[in-house]
Amino acid sequence: MNNRYIGALFLLPLLFMIFIGGWFLKITVLLLSVRALYEFFHVMEKKGHQPLSILGYLTWVAYYAIILFMENPLEHLGVVLALSLTMGFVYMIFHEKTTIVDVGITISGFIYTGVLFSFLILLSQKENGQNFVYAVFIISWVCDTLAYYSGRRFGRHKLNERVSPKKTVEGAIGGLAGGAIGAFVLGLFVTETTGAAVWHFLIMGFFGAMFGQIGDLAASSLKRYANEKDYPKIIPGHGGILDRFDSILFVSLLIYVYTTYVLA
């Protein structure tokens, strides 16, 4: 059987757990985010950096403990980051080979994987929030699908050849349209449940697709920086968690921001 199909079978239980919601979603996000943090540190080490892995994992533990057991977790995020930065500086002071770059990579790795993944949990905790979790995945998947086929059919102009040689401007436009259409169709079914007008889903879909493509390019940029083709493989035929969920991270951020500051 093709490795990509085996990988798809591997992903199905994870997606099922996320779509059920509740503690199933929380546990799944915990596993995905800590694995993604490992993958980030791994590629940075391949480049020759020395991220403070233990500090990164301790920061991750503290943040997710707050998310799971305290209210309004984002109110405490600044304190978590400040304490982590302070401990990173202390380590740097007493270890000559550790530089500010290593400290910065450690903190940014935690934000990139730990914080961005957490928006799936934070979305699910909103009233009728599971519908917005569905929106994240629908926007990302439909965007990726239409971007791929639009690029194959109409692609003429490279989007950013240095970062991702195969991506085209035409494919990116198709992805924006796909994300908007996918979210709009979802909105037709859940507008009464969520209380959000369908046109809000159209906007979320368009900008969510934009953020998703930024996430895809960001993950590719990091790999190229480290001269790695893929993140450490865990999914047959699909690479690592960051290879499969790179766009999800940024779409979830956009949807959380929109539902919190616009729909509220």
Side-chain angles (χ1 to χ4, degrees), residues 115-129:
V115 176
L116 291 187
F117 256 120
S118 75
F119 285 114
L120 289 172
I121 296 177
L122 298 175
L123 272 173
S124 73
Q125 292 175 339
K126 291 177 175 287
E127 185 176 358
N128 299 309

Side-chain angles (χ1 to χ4, degrees), residues 158-168 217 220 224:
K158 297 296 183 181
L159 182 63
N160 191 321
E161 194 166 6
R162 176 183 61 84
V163 172
S164 189
K166 294 183 179 180
K167 287 184 169 56
T168 63
L217 291 170
S220 296
R224 287 195 171 274

